[in-house]
Amino acid sequence: MSELSRARFVVSSDIVANPEQFAKQVGSQLYDVIVAAHPNANWHEMQLLEMLGQMQKGIPVIFLVHGLEREAAAQLVLKGAADCVELDYIGHLPVAVHRALDEKALRDQRDRAERELRRSQAHYRALAGNLIYGICRCSVDGRFLEVNDAMVRMLGYESREELLALDLTSDIIQNPDRRAQLLGQSGQEKPAGPIELEWKRKDHTTMKVWLSGREVLSEQGELVAYEVIAEDVTQQRELEDRLRRQAASDSLTGLANYRHLVDVLDLEIKRSSRTGREFALLFFDVDELKRINDVHGHMVGSQALCQFADVLSSYCRSIDTPARFGGDEFAVVLPETNAEAASLVAQRICESIANDGKVPKLSVSAGVAVYPRNGDTIEGLLHQADCALYAQKQRRSMAALSGRG
């Protein structure tokens, strides 16, 4: 509470000591975030996450841990925790809370957008004069016969006559499978969804549209035309892309967060299992970050983390994934990289941050693990990279003691 108040949060809280109290409080009150000690003698951490899931409460959970191994922290995150904060770095709690609340807001926004996207588009006649949805009538071969003003504006044309000269729907109408999808006649039990495709506006910019349609029959029951409704979903897709990027990135450094790191490791293991090619995982630890925070303040400490993140990114290829694992720990996934090449990359990164001339002066320790030589699971790779990093820190400490002696 002291750390959150110092970070200018306005906080009220309730404390619970067992599952029964937890269920009662969460069931009767609205909470923004849950902070839980780990381990807890009264319950298992998964019991807390399972209870929230059963109650359908999307409240982010942050565990306060002490000496928790990285692979154990990764497992907690994979099973639904928002973050794990070391008690020795309790000053990071406000950042973790900010990130958890931001991610929850983004998820809520995305869920609202998805619900909106799933709404029915079946009321064609009611939409015939609609000013938002583009509506057109096409011949049986897909040529435009009529278009409404909304479609003219949507595509950036000045008149209906310009648009009628185009054949934007002919490829769909003339393709039996795509036409069946357009009309919701996929033959499956579950109704077919709208067709999503890209159209070009008059100014050649790209827009994404959802298309749904229906047949127009004559009085004799003969097919004479198709009516198609077009919804511009460009902004919705851009919002979804932005939400996905934000949900996968660390709010302080802009690097991938450890959720995304775990996903990348999972994909690389599957890829390497198919191709037989190695990949490497680098671990980095910013030395004496706690001292920097104590001497210069947490703002300077945060700037130091961003400083190292910039160096890390500058040494990465487009196929690499630099990530902030948490606190002062960083990682890089190097696809198709052997141990020798990975060690060279780690050495160059360490030398670059040590010699960049910025204040406060930083040094980092590094550890390398290679799949499958040093581990064939996510947990195994994380553990081996952590052990290698710890071994380097030990060697540095021994060398420093020897030098002073």
Side-chain angles (χ1 to χ4, degrees):
M1 290 292 288
S2 175
E3 290 293 335
L4 293 176
S5 298
R6 194 179 312 167
R8 298 185 180 180
F9 280 90
V10 178
V11 190
S12 61
S13 67
D14 294 306
I15 300 174
V16 297
N18 56 55
E20 292 73 24
Q21 293 178 6
F22 176 82
K24 180 179 179 180
Q25 286 298 129
V26 173
S28 61
Q29 301 288 336
L30 294 176
Y31 295 97
D32 294 312
V33 68
I34 294 170
V35 180
H38 171 79
N40 190 311
N42 295 329
W43 55 11
H44 191 272
E45 62 278 358
M46 290 311 304
Q47 186 178 5
L48 184 150
L49 296 173
E50 289 168 0
M51 290 176 67
L52 282 176
Q54 292 169 359
M55 299 171 74
Q56 297 184 337
K57 298 286 187 179
I59 309 172
V61 178
I62 297 173
F63 286 109
L64 291 181
V65 302
H66 182 67
L68 186 66
E69 295 183 355
R70 292 178 176 88
E71 52 268 35
Q75 282 299 314
L76 286 176
V77 172
L78 282 173
K79 292 176 180 178
D83 210 336
C84 294
V85 176
E86 279 283 343
L87 285 170
D88 288 342
Y89 297 98
I90 190 67
H92 295 164
L93 179 61
V95 175
V97 171
H98 266 301
R99 180 168 60 236
L101 294 178
D102 287 345
E103 289 180 358
K104 182 180 185 300
L106 290 171
R107 286 195 303 272
D108 292 344
Q109 189 176 5
R110 179 187 60 203
D111 291 343
R112 287 194 297 271
E114 288 177 351
R115 288 194 296 270
E116 182 69 13
L117 292 175
R118 290 194 296 266
R119 70 187 182 279
S120 173
Q121 296 183 3
H123 306 294
Y124 299 105
R125 292 181 181 177
L127 294 171
N130 197 282
L131 299 179
I132 299 175
Y133 296 96
I135 297 179
C136 65
R137 178 170 291 201
C138 309
S139 65
V140 292
D141 60 359
R143 292 180 296 105
F144 278 158
L145 300 175
E146 299 176 24
V147 295
N148 70 346
D149 291 338
M151 181 166 282
V152 175
R153 290 194 304 273
M154 183 185 298
L155 290 164
Y157 287 89
E158 297 177 2
S159 68
R160 295 187 182 188
E161 288 71 26
E162 282 186 290
L163 192 52
L164 288 172
L166 305 179
D167 56 353
L168 293 177
T169 58
S170 60
D171 289 343
I172 299 173
I173 298 300
Q174 294 177 20
N175 183 306
D177 293 335
R178 301 193 76 190
R179 182 174 66 246
Q181 182 182 353
L182 175 74
L183 301 174
Q185 300 172 347
S186 64
Q188 302 174 355
E189 293 183 5
K190 185 177 180 179
I195 294 178
E196 182 173 327
L197 47 75
E198 291 185 349
W199 275 355
K200 292 287 187 181
R201 300 185 180 92
K202 183 179 180 180
D203 62 4
H204 303 294
T205 58
T206 300
M207 66 181 297
K208 294 183 182 294
V209 293
W210 266 10
L211 300 180
S212 300
R214 74 178 184 96
E215 296 176 338
V216 179
L217 306 178
S218 67
E219 293 182 358
Q220 292 75 32
E222 298 177 350
L223 176 66
V224 294
Y226 299 98
E227 284 184 355
V228 177
I229 178 172
E231 180 183 2
D232 183 358
V233 295
T234 307
Q235 291 184 345
Q236 293 167 346
R237 289 293 173 265
E238 290 173 351
L239 170 62
E240 291 170 359
D241 290 342
R242 187 166 67 252
L243 293 176
R244 279 191 289 268
R245 289 194 300 270
Q246 291 176 345
S249 63
D250 175 63
S251 58
L252 176 64
T253 63
L255 301 181
N257 59 21
Y258 46 71
R259 294 183 188 179
H260 186 48
L261 172 67
V262 171
D263 290 340
V264 170
L265 286 172
D266 183 52
L267 290 173
E268 285 301 322
I269 287 175
K270 292 175 181 175
R271 192 196 331 269
S272 294
S273 298
R274 294 193 305 269
T275 64
R277 297 178 179 178
E278 296 179 316
F279 75 89
L281 171 65
L282 307 183
F283 257 13
F284 295 94
D285 181 276
V286 179
D287 300 327
E288 298 186 348
L289 180 63
K290 187 175 187 302
R291 181 186 61 81
I292 294 174
N293 285 332
D294 292 343
V295 174
H296 301 282
H298 285 284
M299 182 66 71
V300 174
S302 296
Q303 291 171 352
L305 294 175
C306 293
Q307 175 186 338
F308 178 62
D310 291 341
V311 171
L312 207 60
S313 297
S314 68
Y315 278 87
C316 287
R317 304 165 297 179
S318 59
I319 61 172
D320 300 336
T321 302
R324 183 184 178 200
F325 196 90
D328 56 356
E329 299 164 344
F330 293 79
V332 182
V333 180
L334 302 173
E336 301 185 6
T337 304
N338 59 29
E340 182 180 356
S343 297
L344 183 59
V345 172
Q347 179 183 347
R348 288 175 176 171
I349 290 172
C350 292
E351 290 174 350
S352 177
I353 195 67
N355 299 316
D356 64 1
K358 295 183 179 179
V359 178
K361 185 176 179 62
L362 301 180
S363 68
V364 295
S365 301
V368 179
V370 176
Y371 176 92
R373 183 190 313 176
N374 302 126
D376 57 4
T377 64
I378 295 176
E379 293 80 5
L381 284 171
L382 292 171
H383 177 70
Q384 289 301 318
D386 191 28
C387 289
L389 185 148
Y390 180 75
Q392 187 188 80
K393 292 179 80 73
Q394 287 289 92
R395 289 193 297 271
R396 284 188 173 186
S397 297
M398 294 298 294
L401 289 172
S402 176
R404 288 197 295 269

